[in-house]
Amino acid sequence: MTRPSTHSLDFLKFSKKLSNKANFYLIDKSEKYSSIKKMPNYLQLYTSEFNYIFENIYRCASEEQNDENFNLFFNFGNNCRKFIEIYLAFKCPDGLQSKEMKMRALFGDSLTVFFTDRLSNEYSHLAGSFERGLTPVYQEEVSKTAKLVLDVVKREDSRQFQSLIDSITINK
């Protein structure tokens, strides 16, 4: 199990502000012993998993699929599902509405909700379609959905959208 040694994202963010040239490490725990290792970039570069997933969705919306980035498109279902679930948890924290009702309130028409939910669930869990796991991931479908998700976040909260854009490494 690998975790930042502080167990505190706030402390990690504070440490990053002190020096962008600092080295960051973490304690890698196993059953018998622990070791200190250099912190991987995915922990060092992003404030949270939410920011990291946002960048992946952003890249799916703005890049052509190729040999270097195919993993973004391949993992899009999981990333999209997770991003929407986290976003909805903060946007609609009441816990009373179903995910579908929250998505309909966020995305608008039921066709968009169906398309987004279908794509993220099929690629994430192969929900209802085992055959989906045997077919390639289609860039056009992924890109269209990624753009849709980004457009909704931008429309719903342009300030948060800009903050997310500013937080990703693609713009640095």
Side-chain angles (χ1 to χ4, degrees):
M1 177 185 293
T2 302
R3 293 188 184 140
S5 62
T6 65
H7 295 276
S8 170
L9 284 175
D10 288 332
F11 181 73
L12 180 61
K13 287 189 287 188
F14 175 74
S15 299
K16 287 180 191 180
K17 286 180 183 178
L18 291 177
S19 172
N20 60 359
K21 295 177 184 176
N23 291 314
F24 293 91
Y25 299 90
L26 54 81
I27 297 174
D28 189 14
K29 298 178 183 182
S30 71
E31 286 185 36
K32 296 184 180 187
Y33 61 92
S34 296
S35 59
I36 297 174
K37 294 184 176 180
K38 186 158 173 44
M39 185 179 286
N41 282 339
Y42 69 87
L43 288 175
Q44 217 174 141
L45 296 175
Y46 302 93
T47 305
S48 72
E49 184 181 22
F50 188 67
N51 301 79
Y52 173 73
I53 293 171
F54 177 82
E55 180 173 303
N56 288 336
I57 292 170
Y58 181 87
R59 289 182 62 195
C60 284
S62 59
E63 294 180 12
E64 293 288 322
Q65 185 176 341
N66 58 47
D67 286 344
E68 283 77 44
N69 69 4
F70 77 93
N71 60 325
L72 295 172
F73 293 84
F74 183 78
N75 292 319
F76 178 78
N78 280 326
N79 288 332
C80 184
R81 178 188 51 77
K82 204 168 195 179
F83 181 84
I84 290 172
E85 287 175 0
I86 294 169
Y87 187 77
L88 288 173
F90 284 99
K91 194 77 173 160
C92 311
D94 60 22
L96 301 175
Q97 296 179 332
S98 69
K99 179 184 170 192
E100 183 181 342
M101 288 174 62
K102 289 178 182 182
M103 284 186 69
R104 193 168 286 149
L106 186 65
F107 286 93
D109 68 68
S110 58
L111 185 61
T112 302
V113 169
F114 171 79
F115 179 73
T116 305
D117 198 40
R118 179 196 61 85
L119 184 70
S120 64
N121 278 313
E122 280 184 18
Y123 283 138
S124 177
H125 302 302
L126 302 180
S129 179
F130 174 73
E131 294 78 20
R132 175 60 90 183
L134 303 173
T135 59
V137 176
Y138 296 108
Q139 177 193 338
E140 185 177 323
E141 198 173 14
V142 168
S143 294
K144 182 177 180 181
T145 305
K147 288 174 186 172
L148 182 76
V149 170
L150 295 176
D151 288 346
V152 166
V153 174
K154 188 175 185 177
R155 180 190 74 220
E156 287 294 310
D157 191 343
S158 61
R159 195 164 158 201
Q160 181 182 27
F161 179 80
Q162 188 57 53
S163 183
L164 285 166
I165 291 291
D166 293 343
S167 77
I168 60 178
T169 62
I170 207 160
N171 294 319
K172 294 180 180 175

